[in-house]
Amino acid sequence: MTNAQIKQIAEDIRTMRTRGAGKIGRAAARALKIVARTTKARNSAEFIKELDRVSKLLLGTRPTAVSLSNAIRFVTLKAKLIKDADLQTLRNIVMSRADEFIRVSNEAVKRIGEIGARRISDGDMIMTHCNSDCALAVIKTAFKQGKHLEVFVTESRPMKQGLISVRDLSRAGISTTLIVDSAVRHFIRDIDKVIVGADSIAANGAVINKIGTSQLALTAHEARVLFFVAAESYKFHPGTLVGRLVEIEERPSKEIVNPKRFPGVRIRNPVFDVTPPDYIDLIITERGIIPPSAAYVVLQEQFEWKPGEELI
Ligand code: RUB
């Protein structure tokens, strides 16, 4: 039996009540902590089985943000690798790893804000897409430092997460302009820097983020506008070290329009896309700024992986 609270966390991720890669990762850590706190397992083996079952439930909610699987891995791996530990020890390990993930993740967003703000100049016109805590942390930190900024935000169809960004930025006192996604090229010549977040970053430096990001990057590239990605190191995707592709989530067509109004028409709703590393000037992580070509090194360090080895 899965605890109702855990089911609710999974359902909130699936329905996007909890959304944004960082928040998804922290919600998963919270769910696993609840497992450790409330488990009825009688021994370590039963507890590990329960962790696996809940991890599977969480992993089935949304496929693209690697923060989800990286959070699960961070919280559960230590307990799974320890041999002969008693149940209470394993429960304590999972609870403290969950707390650690949440703390480190929140600190990372703050640190990204500080590091990224150094790359923002007084008077910059910035464009952002969708709603990323990391991208907004950079903008808001630069603004708090006294830099005068103007931010253009794309609506981000179909779920319009751009409206969340617009509200957040304008509440912070930042001059904010909302545009539809298709107006990006019309305004790009007024923009100094584009800043977006990431759901996954591949070993070759490609960034997977909200659908439309790659179009925005192409437009910025054409206009020679700087393109920054702000992302914590747990957004780097270990599977891409061994050639796995990041799955692009396709969501129900009804998020775009009521399909009953258009019988016989196929409606496709991929919600993320891949921006090639060539269009990315830098990636701002909590450990510092890297060029996209350094993604491989970040992944190797993060997962202590050497070529030819199996990933655990
Ligand atoms: C959100 C999205 C965000 C990244 C990064 O997509 O694409 O840019 O998740 O966000 P969705 P953050 O709304 O479909 O989850 O920096 O907050 O982790």
Side-chain angles (χ1 to χ4, degrees):
M1 260 282 287
T2 306
N3 181 310
Q5 251 179 309
I6 294 166
K7 277 194 189 148
Q8 190 59 51
I9 291 174
E11 187 59 8
D12 285 349
I13 299 175
R14 200 184 58 76
T15 57
M16 291 176 64
R17 204 186 317 229
T18 300
R19 51 144 299 282
K23 288 195 183 85
I24 290 173
R26 290 191 289 276
R30 236 183 10 257
L32 292 163
K33 187 179 174 184
I34 295 171
V35 176
R37 213 181 48 224
T38 62
T39 184
K40 299 269 189 300
R42 285 161 302 179
N43 54 46
S44 304
E46 278 183 25
F47 177 56
I48 297 293
K49 258 196 201 149
E50 194 178 346
L51 282 180
D52 283 343
R53 198 166 39 76
V54 171
S55 301
K56 213 167 149 206
L57 172 77
L58 293 166
L59 286 169
T61 54
R62 293 192 77 187
T64 304
V66 76
S67 48
L68 178 59
S69 52
N70 281 345
I72 292 171
R73 180 194 166 92
F74 184 91
V75 175
T76 62
L77 192 63
K78 198 169 167 193
K80 284 179 165 181
L81 291 180
I82 287 183
K83 298 269 174 276
D84 304 326
D86 61 74
L87 175 61
Q88 195 52 48
T89 305
L90 294 186
R91 290 174 70 181
N92 290 342
I93 289 174
V94 170
M95 285 191 275
S96 82
R97 293 288 279 182
D99 286 339
E100 189 180 339
F101 183 86
I102 294 166
R103 181 179 52 77
V104 167
S105 163
N106 283 320
E107 280 170 10
V109 177
K110 194 164 168 270
R111 188 82 192 108
I112 285 168
E114 290 160 4
I115 294 172
R118 294 185 205 142
R119 297 301 168 113
I120 306 296
S121 310
D122 190 31
D124 268 352
M125 298 274 270
I126 296 170
M127 189 177 276
T128 189
H129 183 53
C130 190
N131 176 252
S132 153
D133 286 345
C134 289
L136 295 194
V138 172
I139 298 168
K140 289 196 283 185
T141 308
F143 180 74
K144 276 193 206 137
Q145 291 169 347
K147 292 170 186 165
H148 297 90
L149 308 173
E150 270 192 62
V151 185
F152 277 66
V153 183
T154 52
E155 182 188 30
S156 312
R157 283 274 293 153
M159 296 299 270
K160 302 187 181 176
Q161 294 93 328
L163 301 186
I164 306 171
S165 297
V166 163
R167 209 168 289 129
D168 191 5
L169 290 166
S170 61
R171 272 193 192 144
I174 301 171
S175 167
T176 305
T177 304
L178 175 69
I179 59 170
V180 296
D181 301 342
S182 42
V184 159
R185 194 161 180 267
H186 180 78
F187 287 112
I188 198 72
R189 288 193 190 285
D190 301 333
I191 301 297
D192 298 294
K193 282 149 200 166
V194 176
I195 308 176
V196 298
D199 281 81
S200 279
I201 300 176
N204 69 350
V207 165
I208 295 87
N209 191 50
K210 181 55 51 197
I211 191 82
T213 302
S214 69
Q215 229 165 247
L216 172 53
L218 179 62
T219 307
H221 184 74
E222 180 199 37
R224 295 173 180 267
V225 170
L226 289 168
F227 190 92
F228 297 170
V229 175
E232 309 89 318
S233 33
Y234 58 82
K235 308 262 180 75
F236 289 73
H237 199 306
T240 61
L241 280 171
V242 290
R244 246 180 271 148
L245 296 177
V246 178
E247 183 180 342
I248 302 292
E249 177 183 13
E250 189 146 349
R251 293 187 60 89
S253 52
K254 65 173 192 287
E255 288 181 355
I256 298 180
V257 72
N258 180 358
K260 287 194 190 121
R261 288 173 52 204
F262 301 94
V265 175
R266 217 178 305 114
I267 301 167
R268 300 282 306 268
N269 185 21
V271 298
F272 297 102
D273 65 18
V274 184
T275 299
D278 303 0
Y279 299 162
I280 299 165
D281 290 287
L282 50 89
I283 302 176
I284 306 157
T285 79
E286 74 279 16
R287 298 198 202 157
I289 287 175
I290 59 160
S293 57
Y296 177 76
V297 179
V298 172
L299 274 164
Q300 268 192 320
E301 280 177 12
Q302 181 92 338
F303 295 92
E304 293 168 12
W305 178 83
K306 292 185 196 70
E309 276 180 3
E310 284 283 322
L311 274 168
I312 308 170

